[in-house]
Amino acid sequence: MISSEGIIATDITRKFAAAAATLAPGELVKDGHFTLFESVGALEIMDPKMDSGCLAPGESLDEEYDVARPLLPSEVLGIIDQLLCLEMAWHLGYPLSQTLLTNVYIEAILMPAPATIDEADFIRNRKDGAPRDPMFAVLRAYCLGLLKSCWYVCDRIKFEHYYEEEDFVTNTYHRSLLDNIDRDLIRDELMTARSILHNIRRTISEEMAQALSFRLELRTAFLRAIELSDLRSNPESLSLPWSQMKAVWEPISKSHRLGTPVPEAFSTKIQRKLASTMPPRPIVHLSFEETYEHFRKLFADGIDVLKVLNYSDSQSLLNFVLTFQAQKPQPLVYIRTLLQTFLFKDMIILGHLSIRHVIDDDLAIVVLPCSRLLDPSNDDIEAPYDPRFAMAHQMELFRQRAAQSYLDIFRALCQNRCRVRRTLYHAIQDWETVQMDAMAIDRLLQVQLEENPIVYKPSFFVIEEDAPDPAYCLPLSSWALLYKLRLMEWIVQLGFELETYQPDELAGMYWYLGHLAKTRGQLVERIKAFTLHRRANHRPPLTQTMEAQYDRSLAFLRAMMLDSVATWEFARVLSCIYTVLLRLKLIVPPPRPYSTDALRYEIRMKPFLSITMPELPTFEEFTHGTTQPECSIAALLESASGAIGSARKSFDVLGKLSEQDAFTVDTHERWLRGTKNCFKSIIAASIAISTLSDATKGGVEGEEGLGLGLEVVVPKPEKGYHEWWIVPKITRKR
Amino acid sequence: MEDTRTSLKEARDVAREEAAEYLSSLLNKNLRVTTTDSRMFWGAFKCTDPESNLVLQHTYEYRHPSMQKQAEGSAAAAAASAGATLTSTPGSAVANQTFKMDMTSRYLGLVVVPGEHIVKIELEEFVSQMKKGPQYRSPTEL
């Protein structure tokens, strides 16, 4: 009998059925706002595939498993290890309903929701004062530590930017993961359980007691790591619990064999008690070996990510985030959200820096070393006719305009790789307008600075032969353009990494990448010319600190130049190689009956279409640049081997830079590994060139490559040395 | 003969119209639908068809506690009444004592309950809003 105040329920069963029966076949009575399309998503009750609450004939709703049955130490260990596998599966993106919430002990702890630490037990009706069974105490303490850390993990992830369908499921199905129970109380339970283990170590064997104790230690350390991460300072002390986890992880995996699995303690039946619109789903089974690897990586990344807190300069910070996120496999979403927290929480960068501090640092490195524009004392000027007053005002306008876009770069890089690429699409549109607005502010500021235009002639990358007009420095818009160009290059390079392009498109896309990198090189050269000019004409003479600032900026421009030259040359090499392979018909485009090259170019380049600087090459320019019809195969290979020499040299010099000069403080090792991998890709490419040169020496001009006896494999991005450089494997057929 | 047939047809049409009107009047009202496995679904009525397949929105599932849990509850109630005589009704035998248990519930969202599995449909109405006037009566009741 169900009752509630003020509501009366009338039985309308017969009336309803009779009324419905008069409807013509196929006729519906439905709410006007309800569409049949919506009903597709409805759960069909009593259908065992859809309805998690549907019981098989004779099946009981309750778990038949008795949580009060005595457990052997080896069984407790087996259950804990199974929980470790499920916890990792959850971290990897499976929902709790298919992982931890399939465990009967956890279910018994969480339902009904415990109000106190004592109620948080799978055995609720224990007599007052009666001691817990030692094995129950261990399993319970482990589960409490596990659930509490899951609550923190979930809470952290929810707070930051992530993608529910792609990264992580935060749904807890109306179960509270012990959020009302104090962390310290749980830590006490873990401590108690460890001392219990110590006391009974003779009875259950030293080895077993140790193995269980390590697992409890892992939980304690995890809670501690989470607690400390809120501090966002002093990475050395923050990394202690992570190191502790790393240290106990080895003995934990070694003692896995001591456990006896208890599969009956896990059941999907529990799903029918969860608030869920999902049909029943199976338990996720991750092997202990996989779990081991993922946790090992988690702890290593946990230690690594803390280094971001050692702020040295804005460019090292960017390189840190770039290289940290480029790791394969990518760090788990929890680590990625931790990184976001470190970076942005409460709009305080890394826990102690203002956004202004970071942006000004970046402007000083990239375009404005020792500039009056960045002098903080400008803020104190109150006379409106003083140029410094205007400078302070305009710079503040600029910061307000650019800060969000600048921070969004970091935020975007913290997402999963596919999302990084998608987010950058939007970011470049944004930077397009930042650049426009910066241009307007530049024009106002050059008046305040009484800047004289200089005749600037590009030397390295020659664009035009005419004597150029005198030009202004335009620092802020140059800064914005540099970011926009880098983002555009990353979009194309992520396209290689994510296998967005077909093998026959690689020639064109590498050509475009080269085009962008060349543009960046020209920009860096321009910035450098103005920086040198300002340095030479500095009045009064430079102090030592100022010299150091100029040196730092020039070091950055040098590294940036090396990087753009290396990218430009290497992209050109690969474009030539793929063009040769296309000509030799060693790479054959798939049949595309409903598409033309021009249409595909339009689609491919859509994100870049609205960018006015650099303007997207026309389809004709693109085709001409890619196919290079005026060059013979021999000429193409020759120009490739010329370019490869200079790419090689650039990567080589780049790899020898100190971490200060490469702007990779605290991430140098990882960055260097990436650079070395690029270098290896170059070696692979030069082998490809020489194989092609040898095979075409006889002069098979323009005709079928099949006769050359060559075999070409375009490797998957992860199979090459570097995901951004897809070097074809060319071998002679036996 | 001809007349009776037409009038029968007319009567059928009228009945059909009234039936559709009745069903439409239920739309968006809260129904409690009990299924063959004695679960109860409580949600807003959105759609039905000749087989009485029901679409309910914002549905909660209610389930009676299992027999075992009921036995436990009954035992607990008995124990409680044995201890605290104040609450037990004088003269009531412990054996047929009534006790309250909460049904377990969970949120499911949008569901379809197939007509063949329905054993009972109840309409929820606020006492204050119940209509006094003539209501639709199904042909079988007439």
Side-chain angles (χ1 to χ4, degrees):
Chain A
M1 187 58 205
I2 300 157
S3 50
S4 45
E5 294 290 314
I7 288 176
I8 287 194
T10 341
D11 187 340
I12 54 163
T13 319
R14 286 175 63 200
K15 230 165 156 183
F16 190 99
T22 66
L23 296 174
E27 190 183 345
L28 295 176
V29 173
K30 72 175 188 69
D31 174 34
H33 296 291
F34 177 74
T35 61
L36 287 180
F37 179 71
E38 281 177 79
S39 72
V40 173
L43 289 175
E44 187 171 330
I45 299 304
M46 298 301 284
D47 173 355
K49 283 220 176 72
M50 295 273 271
D51 176 9
S52 61
C54 176
L55 299 176
E59 186 187 7
S60 157
L61 169 68
D62 291 324
E63 263 320 311
E64 273 124 35
Y65 188 91
D66 177 16
V67 289
R69 82 169 176 93
L71 286 172
L72 295 169
S74 63
E75 287 175 320
V76 173
L77 192 93
I79 293 169
I80 288 179
D81 282 3
Q82 183 62 36
L83 288 173
L84 278 169
C85 296
L86 293 173
E87 182 186 5
M88 184 40 74
W90 179 59
H91 273 286
L92 291 171
Y94 291 99
L96 281 174
S97 61
Q98 288 177 266
T99 56
L100 292 170
L101 293 184
T102 60
N103 178 258
V104 292
Y105 291 99
I106 286 187
E107 171 68 10
I109 289 174
L110 293 181
M111 278 311 278
T116 62
I117 183 80
D118 269 329
E119 276 178 35
D121 195 342
F122 43 83
I123 296 170
R124 293 286 174 102
N125 48 11
R126 204 163 47 92
K127 286 209 179 62
D128 290 335
R132 280 193 178 85
D133 170 87
M135 283 305 113
F136 287 175
V138 171
L139 182 57
R140 167 177 172 261
Y142 182 88
C143 291
L144 296 184
L146 166 65
L147 289 168
K148 191 72 186 174
S149 54
C150 288
W151 183 81
Y152 281 113
V153 166
C154 202
D155 193 51
R156 165 72 54 236
I157 294 176
K158 267 194 280 193
F159 193 78
E160 298 298 343
H161 209 286
Y162 74 104
Y163 291 89
E164 180 93 27
E165 283 81 23
E166 298 159 23
D167 296 320
F168 194 79
V169 185
T170 52
N171 194 349
T172 58
Y173 307 94
H174 283 258
R175 291 280 189 272
S176 144
L177 301 176
L178 306 183
D179 51 344
N180 57 336
I181 292 181
D182 195 70
R183 171 162 54 192
D184 293 327
L185 294 174
I186 291 177
R187 225 177 346 230
D188 291 347
E189 296 293 335
L190 285 161
M191 286 289 283
T192 315
R194 286 183 71 190
S195 67
I196 291 175
L197 280 172
H198 185 75
N199 293 336
I200 59 165
R201 67 191 186 282
R202 299 257 150 65
T203 2
I204 65 169
S205 95
E206 198 79 49
E207 194 184 17
M208 179 60 80
Q210 197 62 262
L212 289 169
S213 194
F214 277 138
R215 283 159 175 77
L216 296 175
E217 196 180 335
L218 182 78
R219 299 277 43 132
T220 313
F222 207 147
L223 285 175
R224 181 84 184 132
I226 289 166
E227 185 182 4
L228 288 178
S229 66
D230 285 341
L231 298 177
R232 293 205 290 170
S233 62
N234 206 348
E236 283 69 36
S237 63
L238 259 62
S239 73
L240 277 177
W242 288 102
S243 308
Q244 201 184 351
M245 284 190 269
K246 195 176 160 186
V248 294
W249 188 238
E250 288 304 320
I252 285 177
S253 85
K254 286 209 178 76
S255 54
H256 173 62
R257 58 182 174 82
L258 298 177
T260 315
V262 188
E264 54 288 8
F266 299 85
S267 160
T268 47
K269 266 186 169 185
I270 297 169
Q271 286 175 0
R272 62 183 55 138
K273 296 181 188 163
L274 303 175
S276 165
T277 52
M278 294 289 265
R281 294 271 172 82
I283 299 178
V284 180
H285 284 285
L286 202 65
S287 74
F288 193 78
E289 288 69 35
E290 288 169 277
T291 306
Y292 166 79
E293 269 310 313
H294 286 297
F295 267 113
R296 202 184 52 76
K297 180 85 168 62
L298 173 69
F299 302 145
D301 286 343
I303 297 172
D304 242 13
V305 74
L306 297 171
K307 292 184 190 147
V308 76
L309 294 169
N310 291 327
Y311 179 82
S312 127
D313 59 84
S314 59
Q315 288 295 330
S316 289
L317 179 66
L318 180 60
N319 276 326
F320 183 97
V321 180
L322 262 180
T323 56
F324 189 78
Q325 294 299 335
Q327 293 182 82
K328 297 281 164 215
Q330 221 194 346
L332 286 173
V333 62
Y334 175 59
I335 298 288
R336 288 196 269 126
T337 45
L338 212 51
L339 179 57
Q340 292 182 49
T341 307
F342 289 157
L343 286 170
F344 311 114
K345 192 172 172 230
D346 305 328
M347 297 301 268
I348 300 170
I349 311 297
L350 304 173
H352 68 284
L353 301 168
S354 66
I355 296 171
R356 173 174 177 169
H357 181 113
V358 181
I359 291 197
D360 280 7
D361 198 11
D362 202 56
L363 288 168
I365 292 174
V366 180
V367 283
L368 291 170
C370 311
S371 170
R372 288 163 62 204
L373 294 176
L374 297 177
D375 188 347
S377 68
N378 290 350
D379 295 350
D380 305 331
I381 305 297
E382 282 170 9
Y385 298 111
D386 191 315
R388 286 175 295 171
F389 179 84
M391 284 181 208
H393 177 67
Q394 293 298 334
M395 284 306 289
E396 193 45 36
L397 278 182
F398 174 69
R399 282 189 207 99
Q400 279 170 13
R401 177 65 192 83
Q404 195 58 51
S405 312
Y406 179 68
L407 293 180
D408 280 349
I409 297 180
F410 292 89
R411 182 77 83 177
L413 290 173
C414 289
Q415 303 308 312
N416 69 55
R417 296 303 264 176
C418 300
R419 282 289 168 184
V420 173
R421 188 159 187 269
R422 280 188 63 90
T423 315
L424 292 183
Y425 278 6
H426 303 289
I428 56 172
Q429 316 295 337
D430 189 29
W431 278 92
E432 172 83 4
T433 57
V434 172
Q435 191 195 341
M436 300 296 169
D437 296 345
M439 184 77 91
I441 297 175
D442 275 333
R443 298 243 182 261
L444 291 171
L445 288 172
Q446 74 201 20
V447 178
Q448 303 297 338
L449 287 167
E450 295 170 353
E451 183 186 338
N452 292 316
I454 60 166
V455 175
Y456 155 70
K457 194 172 182 325
S459 58
F460 183 59
F461 295 103
V462 180
I463 340 171
E464 64 232 67
E465 293 300 318
D466 313 331
D469 294 327
Y472 286 96
C473 174
L474 307 174
L476 302 180
S477 46
S478 301
W479 178 80
L481 176 58
L482 182 64
Y483 275 107
K484 189 171 65 181
L485 283 167
R486 294 189 77 183
L487 301 184
M488 290 170 81
E489 282 177 57
W490 292 340
I491 290 175
V492 180
Q493 282 171 319
L494 280 165
F496 298 124
E497 177 177 330
L498 298 167
E499 290 180 81
T500 309
Y501 313 124
Q502 298 275 313
D504 65 298
E505 288 177 284
L506 292 174
M509 291 321 289
Y510 275 114
W511 177 83
Y512 183 57
L513 175 64
H515 173 75
L516 292 173
K518 189 170 95 179
T519 315
R520 174 160 61 107
Q522 288 164 347
L523 173 69
V524 172
E525 205 203 6
R526 185 183 190 281
I527 295 172
K528 190 177 162 191
F530 280 94
T531 302
L532 288 174
H533 175 78
R534 260 189 336 111
R535 183 183 198 166
N537 295 291
H538 204 280
R539 298 289 173 272
L542 292 166
T543 63
Q544 220 163 6
T545 357
M546 289 167 129
E547 289 279 6
Q549 273 202 47
Y550 271 111
D551 286 344
R552 188 168 80 134
S553 177
L554 289 168
F556 168 76
L557 293 174
R558 175 156 186 262
M560 191 66 358
M561 179 60 101
L562 282 168
D563 180 75
S564 57
V565 171
T567 307
W568 172 45
E569 299 280 18
F570 195 14
R572 208 154 65 92
V573 170
L574 288 175
S575 177
C576 285
I577 294 179
Y578 281 110
T579 299
V580 170
L581 293 177
L582 283 169
R583 279 207 211 168
L584 293 172
K585 299 203 168 45
L586 286 165
I587 287 178
V588 185
R592 294 181 180 113
Y594 304 108
S595 158
T596 65
D597 290 348
L599 282 174
R600 225 171 30 258
Y601 180 72
E602 204 183 304
I603 296 286
R604 207 36 108 203
M605 298 303 186
K606 216 170 179 179
F608 310 116
L609 202 59
S610 56
I611 304 297
T612 52
M613 188 196 282
E615 209 178 359
L616 184 67
T618 63
F619 176 62
E620 287 67 34
E621 286 164 345
F622 169 80
T623 315
H624 191 269
T626 307
T627 55
Q628 305 187 52
E630 71 288 353
C631 293
S632 66
I633 286 182
L636 278 173
L637 290 173
E638 199 173 319
S639 102
S641 36
I644 213 162
S646 100
R648 197 170 171 163
K649 213 163 69 198
S650 303
F651 274 121
D652 197 35
V653 179
L654 208 53
K656 288 190 177 119
L657 293 179
S658 69
E659 59 175 15
Q660 274 77 26
D661 288 346
F663 289 79
T664 52
V665 180
D666 276 310
T667 184
H668 192 66
E669 208 179 304
R670 200 166 36 229
W671 173 84
L672 195 61
R673 227 177 296 139
T675 308
K676 291 229 165 93
N677 285 339
C678 292
F679 196 78
K680 284 184 198 156
S681 302
I682 290 190
I683 308 288
S686 54
I687 295 170
I689 293 174
S690 59
T691 315
L692 277 174
S693 310
D694 283 353
T696 53
K697 210 175 276 169
V700 265
E701 215 40 42
E703 268 323 304
E704 300 284 304
L706 298 168
L708 296 172
L710 292 180
E711 205 165 14
V712 175
V713 180
V714 177
K716 298 258 172 211
E718 66 276 9
K719 292 273 184 269
Y721 293 109
H722 197 289
E723 288 82 9
W724 288 3
W725 301 107
I726 311 293
V727 182
K729 278 205 175 69
I730 306 173
T731 43
R732 283 184 175 281
K733 259 189 246 167
R734 301 247 158 244
Chain B
M1 201 58 195
E2 187 75 0
D3 273 4
T4 13
R5 220 181 291 154
T6 357
S7 64
L8 258 176
K9 189 172 174 288
E10 268 169 19
R12 256 205 319 268
D13 282 348
V14 170
R16 189 177 285 176
E17 224 165 84
E18 278 180 6
E21 210 168 284
Y22 169 65
L23 292 173
S24 303
S25 76
L26 297 176
L27 286 172
N28 294 312
K29 296 223 166 103
N30 282 336
L31 298 187
R32 299 172 181 179
V33 180
T34 310
T35 49
T36 42
D37 63 351
S38 74
R39 275 184 291 166
M40 199 265 291
F41 296 90
W42 179 80
F45 173 52
K46 283 286 159 184
C47 179
T48 191
D49 65 1
E51 279 81 46
S52 291
N53 295 319
L54 284 182
V55 178
L56 298 179
Q57 204 178 33
H58 305 308
T59 312
Y60 282 82
E61 174 201 71
Y62 288 81
R63 191 191 281 280
H64 289 287
S66 64
M67 295 307 258
Q68 194 202 337
K69 286 274 163 65
Q70 282 187 35
E72 283 169 15
S74 155
S81 75
T85 38
L86 269 177
T87 50
S88 69
T89 333
S92 75
V94 171
N96 57 26
Q97 162 134 27
T98 57
F99 62 96
K100 268 189 177 175
M101 279 188 85
D102 287 330
M103 289 176 99
T104 50
S105 77
R106 59 174 188 151
Y107 182 70
L108 289 180
L110 191 67
V111 304
V112 182
V113 191
E116 50 174 327
H117 296 302
I118 296 176
V119 292
K120 191 172 170 193
I121 304 173
E122 287 164 293
L123 169 67
E124 268 194 5
E125 278 171 302
F126 289 105
V127 180
S128 52
Q129 290 172 358
M130 276 178 75
K131 270 190 247 158
K132 294 273 155 49
Q135 291 193 351
Y136 170 78
R137 302 176 72 189
S138 74
T140 45
E141 280 175 289
L142 288 167

